[in-house]
Amino acid sequence: MEHRDDGDTSTTTMTGPALDPLLRALVDASNDALLLLDSQGRAILINRRAKYFFGLAERDVIGRSAAQLRAMFTMIFEDGAAFDAWLTPLLASAEERAVREFRVLRAEPRLLQCFTAPVVDQQERLIGRLLVFRDITREREVERMKNEFVSLVSHELRTPLTSIRGALQLVLGRTGAGAPPVGATPVGAPHVGATPVGATHESPRLRVGATHESPRPSPLASLPPRTRELLAISLNNSERLIRLINDILDISKIEQGPISLRRVSLDPGELCRAAAQGVAAFASSRGITIDLVLPDELAPISADRDRALQVLTNLLSNAIKFSSAGQRVTLSAEAVHGAICFAVRDQGRGIAPEHHARIFERFQQIDSSSTRDVGGTGLGLAICKALVEEHGGRIWLDSATGKGATFAFTLPLATGARPTRPISLAMDQPTVLVADDNPIILEVMHDILEEAGYVVAEASGGAEALRLARLLQPALLTLDVMMPDLDGFDVIQVLRNDPVTRALPVLFVSAVPEHERGAALGGSGFLLKPFAPEALLDQVRQLIGQRVLRVLVVEDDNHVRPVLARLIERGGFLVAQAADGHAALEMLPQVQPNLILLDIRMPGMDGYEVLRRIKCDPAYQHIPVVVLTASDLGAAARQRVLDLGAALYLEKPIGSEELLAQIERILS
Amino acid sequence: MNILLAEDEPDIQLVTRIALEDEGHHVVVVDDGEAAVERAHAEPFDVVLLDVMMPRLDGFGACGQLKADPQTQHIPVIFLTARSQSFDVRDGLRLGAIGYIIKPFDVFTLADEIKALLTQSAMERGTNG
């Protein structure tokens, strides 16, 4: 066993019996299954655990050809073909390591985490490959049980809490307690009436103060003050418990994998107003004033409304909790490059810099004495961070002891919107992100694309391209292949593995014709340098198939209109709203809708007249108009609107699916 | 509104009833899904609120029966439930419910939330506007 033919890599240099007994004992003692292959893919070592996992004896494995071994693996793993496809290309690599999970077919199936790394000799020559299999069946089972348990406990706790909170609320009346708002909108509930419609012009500083509800007289208004106080403590703490349960459920969901987001195009200003309204009662109960600082116009963001509201509400509640009576909390939103930056600023005691790094971790409360009276769960900021990052944004803290704190985060703009212009005014052309390390080429491409009407963003390297692609979510990325920091082929691999950028069309631009490699990595097109401007524009036009389409909803009913708008937004459209015919006509030049959804019965100018005027105007007569009206207008109405040039006449009732399908059909 | 509430927890029954009656609504309370289906046949309701987990017949079962019967299928159904996982929501909406309100709910906004769900549903069914 002492003999080792150094350098001989082709034959059985390390067969089982030749191994030192001490080493053999160590290898067999491992709880992980080990399998060592030589450079030809033949097994030269298998440990006891591997034999047990795979149900094989040493003689089944050692000395078999690579083909026999592969055939054996195909039988052992549930998806043998996938295992083979995973391992085979790795065999020849002297560098690549990989980890993946495979299930073993046995009477009692096990889930194995397979790790593989190359084995090299002292001269760095490849002599084989090591495979390590770890049984993670139990680990997964425990995770699943934990999540199930959390969900079950949450349910069981909610039932008694419903009675406790409800009863206390009824006793104390509307003004009974000032706790942070609990929970967001219930699932399935519409956001009716939350959006002021049309071009509302808020003054830049809007103050949100007292509660908007009419005070409900408490049935026990004559409670002795002491009793009232004690009941209020009970109510506040029941609400704290509810928040804790909600947070634990959220954290549990976040741990289970990416949170699914229902992204729509949202007005950042409206979002801020809704969040401020939500915490208004809590703020006024603690004597805090909330200031809203919003520019007149902000471009729409692409975000899940409930989740974005949850982040804002959480940061506002925190700021209120850490403020003293008489202080102010400011919520602001502003456009930054490719995103909207939201900031919540307080005048509280601030947070020392040494705590900043840990503050977004779960169950981190900097000063337990200060949180006891305000009832934090210690999970809120961890949840905020996970939600913001899932959107492709980032969150940070700016604070010093005694100076107040500002929590800020970004959410990406909706695709195709101009970074500096709001939805109602945007002729939103798609954004093209151009990545090239050569400044002259950047400038040339920028000019060509901008002249053609695209919004252009520039990245001067691979890393910047990745960052901006995530932040801007452009309609197209043109990607230079040879860049010093990260080359284009590296960049696209990262993009394709990121849920935010997975579907982003990528046009490779290179002086070297590597069309096939580009396509294999998920490139959508390939343009050879040098190129004519027309060739670039042709490719860009072709690749930006999915433009963001705008729908103008014209409807006088204040309840129906926002519901319609949300419904259409769910289909991925940008929606502008008009409350009457005159407003609709005035909005046309700015909104430039791709489709108009028109009600017929409206006060002032009715739908027939709006339709007639649109179809008489050469600038707008091409826009398809869908008339959606109550069913009692009769057959004559249908004929009349179709004669006037409407694309389609729809009668309520109509399901949301059908309405979206009709809109998509007309626009396709 | 004339509201039918099916809920097996007496405490929640009482709190919900007071909350809705204080807003001027008429509330009939039953203990399980079977009783809810029976009652819905006996008198007209503007909306049925169903707890999900109930003895004898659960909320999903009751919703299914109400929607299968021409006599009751027009009554809007809203689930009141402590469940908050998304698969529950889909199950409920597939059965024809117009929405969900998650427990613990705010007693002061409960009536408004019910009205908001009814408005949205009416819009889609074309009885409004």
Side-chain angles (χ1 to χ4, degrees):
Chain A
M1 68 194 160
E2 242 61 72
H3 76 282
R4 280 234 180 126
D5 313 308
D6 277 342
D8 182 357
T9 61
S10 60
T11 54
T12 57
T13 35
M14 292 164 67
T15 53
L19 198 66
D20 185 308
L22 289 176
L23 278 181
R24 182 84 233 170
L26 279 175
V27 165
D28 277 343
S30 166
N31 215 9
D32 290 340
L34 301 174
L35 184 67
L36 191 58
L37 307 179
D38 69 11
S39 55
Q40 312 297 307
R42 290 171 300 203
I44 46 182
L45 181 149
I46 179 166
N47 76 343
R48 195 187 303 255
R49 190 75 174 158
K51 286 183 263 180
Y52 165 73
F53 273 164
F54 303 140
L56 297 170
E58 187 130 356
R59 64 171 184 284
D60 296 332
V61 180
I62 305 297
R64 302 283 172 177
S65 73
Q68 285 171 319
L69 209 59
R70 284 175 61 184
M72 221 180 299
F73 278 136
T74 317
M75 317 272 283
I76 287 171
F77 290 100
E78 189 177 83
D79 190 348
F83 181 80
D84 196 50
W86 174 71
L87 184 60
T88 307
L90 292 169
L91 288 174
S93 165
E95 281 137 33
E96 269 183 271
R97 292 154 171 265
V99 185
R100 206 165 137 181
E101 287 166 19
F102 291 98
R103 202 170 285 280
V104 184
L105 277 178
R106 286 172 20 152
E108 187 193 343
R110 313 298 295 178
L111 183 64
L112 300 186
Q113 185 187 60
C114 312
F115 165 78
T116 172
V119 181
V120 294
D121 65 11
Q122 283 164 342
Q123 283 79 46
E124 299 281 314
R125 283 176 302 184
L126 179 69
I127 56 171
R129 178 160 282 272
L130 178 67
L131 292 161
V132 182
F133 303 88
R134 176 165 295 177
D135 186 348
I136 55 169
T137 317
R138 178 82 189 134
E139 233 171 88
R140 282 299 146 83
E141 177 66 9
V142 169
E143 260 171 54
R144 195 188 57 75
M145 284 166 60
K146 187 200 72 180
N147 289 329
E148 229 168 58
F149 179 75
V150 167
S151 148
L152 185 76
V153 165
S154 138
H155 175 260
E156 291 302 323
L157 290 175
R158 276 163 191 272
T159 303
L161 272 168
T162 305
S163 312
I164 296 173
R165 178 164 81 148
L168 289 167
Q169 275 187 313
L170 290 170
V171 169
L172 285 162
R174 275 196 200 271
T175 52
V182 173
T185 328
V187 186
H191 311 289
V192 181
T195 327
V197 175
T200 45
H201 271 282
E202 304 286 344
S203 67
R205 286 177 82 84
L206 173 77
R207 197 176 295 169
V208 179
T211 91
H212 62 291
E213 295 124 347
S214 59
R216 161 197 290 244
S218 163
L220 300 170
S222 56
L223 282 175
R226 194 76 200 181
T227 310
R228 232 192 135 67
E229 192 184 334
L230 292 172
L231 286 173
I233 290 172
S234 311
L235 178 54
N236 280 337
N237 280 281
S238 73
E239 308 215 318
R240 178 175 171 185
L241 199 48
I242 294 165
R243 284 196 302 281
L244 185 57
I245 293 166
N246 288 343
D247 283 357
I248 289 173
L249 251 190
D250 272 344
I251 280 285
S252 161
K253 271 187 209 154
I254 286 164
E255 278 175 356
Q256 284 174 59
I259 317 148
S260 62
L261 297 175
R262 266 194 7 234
R263 278 176 185 275
V264 292
S265 177
L266 294 174
D267 173 8
E270 189 272 324
L271 202 63
C272 288
R273 283 187 282 272
Q277 194 64 64
V279 298
F282 176 49
S284 73
S285 78
R286 296 183 66 97
I288 311 292
T289 308
I290 296 179
D291 294 322
L292 267 175
V293 181
L294 298 171
D296 283 345
E297 293 160 351
L298 280 170
I301 51 170
S302 160
D304 182 313
R305 189 177 195 276
D306 288 346
R307 292 309 199 174
L309 211 48
Q310 185 182 353
V311 175
L312 278 172
T313 306
N314 202 305
L315 295 181
L316 284 169
S317 299
N318 270 351
I320 294 165
K321 283 183 213 162
F322 289 98
S323 299
S324 316
Q327 290 185 327
R328 312 181 85 88
V329 168
T330 309
L331 169 59
S332 63
E334 60 173 334
V336 294
H337 192 62
I340 297 293
C341 178
F342 299 86
V344 176
R345 192 168 73 237
D346 66 50
Q347 302 171 318
R349 70 195 87 177
I351 299 157
E354 61 264 31
H355 297 309
H356 289 195
R358 281 186 11 246
I359 199 154
F360 292 104
E361 291 170 22
R362 62 196 60 169
F363 293 117
Q364 286 295 339
Q365 291 186 334
I366 299 314
D367 174 2
S368 54
S369 66
S370 70
T371 48
R372 201 162 298 135
D373 61 315
V374 291
T377 65
L379 290 169
L381 287 174
I383 293 168
C384 288
K385 181 169 190 278
L387 292 177
V388 167
E389 288 178 354
E390 193 59 34
H391 276 92
R394 56 187 202 95
I395 185 165
W396 66 94
L397 162 66
D398 193 3
S399 176
T401 314
K403 296 270 175 63
T406 301
F407 282 90
F409 66 97
T410 57
L411 289 177
L413 292 178
T415 312
R418 276 180 187 268
T420 53
R421 296 173 69 181
I423 172 176
S424 57
L425 299 174
M427 314 259 297
D428 43 50
Q429 284 296 328
T431 301
V432 177
L433 176 59
V434 179
D436 202 305
D437 60 321
N438 183 334
I440 298 167
I441 294 187
L442 266 186
E443 199 183 324
V444 169
M445 291 182 73
H446 189 132
D447 288 348
I448 295 170
L449 291 168
E450 198 162 66
E451 197 164 309
Y454 296 99
V455 179
V456 182
E458 296 180 4
S460 57
E464 197 184 0
L466 284 176
R467 191 176 61 79
L468 290 178
R470 209 164 202 281
L471 191 64
L472 296 172
Q473 302 191 17
L476 175 78
L477 167 65
T478 78
L479 190 55
D480 182 23
V481 172
M482 299 220 265
M483 291 185 290
D485 60 337
L486 267 178
D487 76 26
F489 294 137
D490 291 331
V491 169
I492 196 166
Q493 291 187 49
V494 178
L495 291 174
R496 292 295 176 249
N497 281 312
D498 182 336
V500 177
T501 54
R502 185 169 289 152
L504 168 64
V506 172
L507 173 62
F508 282 110
V509 181
S510 172
V512 185
E514 293 185 89
H515 299 66
E516 273 149 25
R517 183 160 177 215
L521 289 170
S524 324
F526 202 100
L527 185 64
L528 201 60
K529 288 180 194 171
F531 51 80
E534 280 71 23
L536 171 67
L537 289 175
D538 275 352
Q539 289 257 27
V540 168
R541 274 191 212 108
Q542 204 181 329
L543 292 176
I544 304 182
Q546 303 156 311
R547 287 182 304 133
V548 178
L549 298 169
R550 293 170 304 275
V551 175
L552 175 62
V553 173
V554 190
E555 162 72 60
D556 64 309
D557 188 308
N558 287 333
H559 293 287
V560 174
R561 190 176 51 247
V563 172
L564 267 177
R566 299 241 183 275
L567 193 155
I568 295 167
E569 274 173 2
R570 247 180 269 154
F573 300 99
L574 288 177
V575 178
Q577 305 177 29
D580 59 59
H582 285 289
L585 293 173
E586 272 170 27
M587 285 167 80
L588 287 178
Q590 292 162 344
V591 176
Q592 296 280 335
N594 301 90
L595 184 140
I596 297 168
L597 191 64
L598 182 64
D599 188 21
I600 286 297
R601 268 200 305 223
M602 294 186 290
M605 189 190 299
D606 68 11
Y608 297 119
E609 181 60 17
V610 175
L611 181 58
R612 194 188 62 77
R613 293 203 193 180
I614 289 170
K615 291 302 168 188
C616 286
D617 189 330
Y620 306 116
Q621 59 191 194
H622 64 281
I623 303 173
V625 177
V626 173
V627 169
L628 176 62
T629 187
S631 50
D632 53 357
L633 288 181
R638 173 189 297 273
Q639 201 49 52
R640 186 165 167 204
V641 302
L642 292 179
D643 287 346
L644 282 168
L648 189 64
Y649 176 84
L650 293 175
E651 283 181 352
K652 302 167 189 171
I654 182 164
S656 52
E657 299 295 322
E658 195 197 338
L659 179 59
L660 276 180
Q662 294 284 12
I663 290 176
E664 272 156 20
R665 186 181 59 77
I666 290 174
L667 287 173
S668 65
Chain B
M1 283 187 288
N2 211 6
I3 300 170
L4 176 60
L5 168 68
E7 163 69 62
D8 60 323
E9 289 267 340
D11 296 346
I12 298 180
Q13 287 180 353
L14 182 65
V15 166
T16 313
R17 189 158 60 82
I18 295 175
L20 294 171
E21 283 177 353
D22 277 6
E23 297 283 332
H25 303 295
H26 178 242
V27 184
V28 172
V29 180
V30 293
D31 295 326
D32 61 56
E34 257 179 44
V37 173
E38 210 172 287
R39 197 65 188 248
H41 279 90
E43 68 186 276
F45 290 100
D46 298 306
V47 61
V48 181
L49 308 181
L50 292 175
D51 182 30
V52 171
M53 302 230 261
M54 291 185 290
R56 297 214 293 168
L57 181 63
D58 71 9
F60 288 165
C63 182
Q65 291 197 10
L66 290 172
K67 291 299 162 189
D69 188 331
Q71 201 193 325
T72 53
Q73 64 188 183
H74 65 279
I75 310 172
V77 171
I78 296 173
F79 285 109
L80 281 184
T81 176
R83 291 192 175 186
S84 61
Q85 301 281 18
S86 51
F87 60 88
D88 294 323
V89 177
R90 282 204 301 275
D91 287 347
L93 299 181
R94 205 176 294 134
L95 284 167
I98 62 168
Y100 246 76
I101 292 174
I102 299 217
K103 292 178 189 170
F105 47 79
D106 185 323
V107 295
F108 301 130
T109 57
L110 180 61
D112 288 342
E113 285 182 33
I114 293 170
K115 271 183 233 153
L117 287 172
L118 289 172
T119 305
Q120 180 184 26
S121 155
M123 195 281 298
E124 287 193 11
R125 287 184 304 138
T127 49
N128 185 327

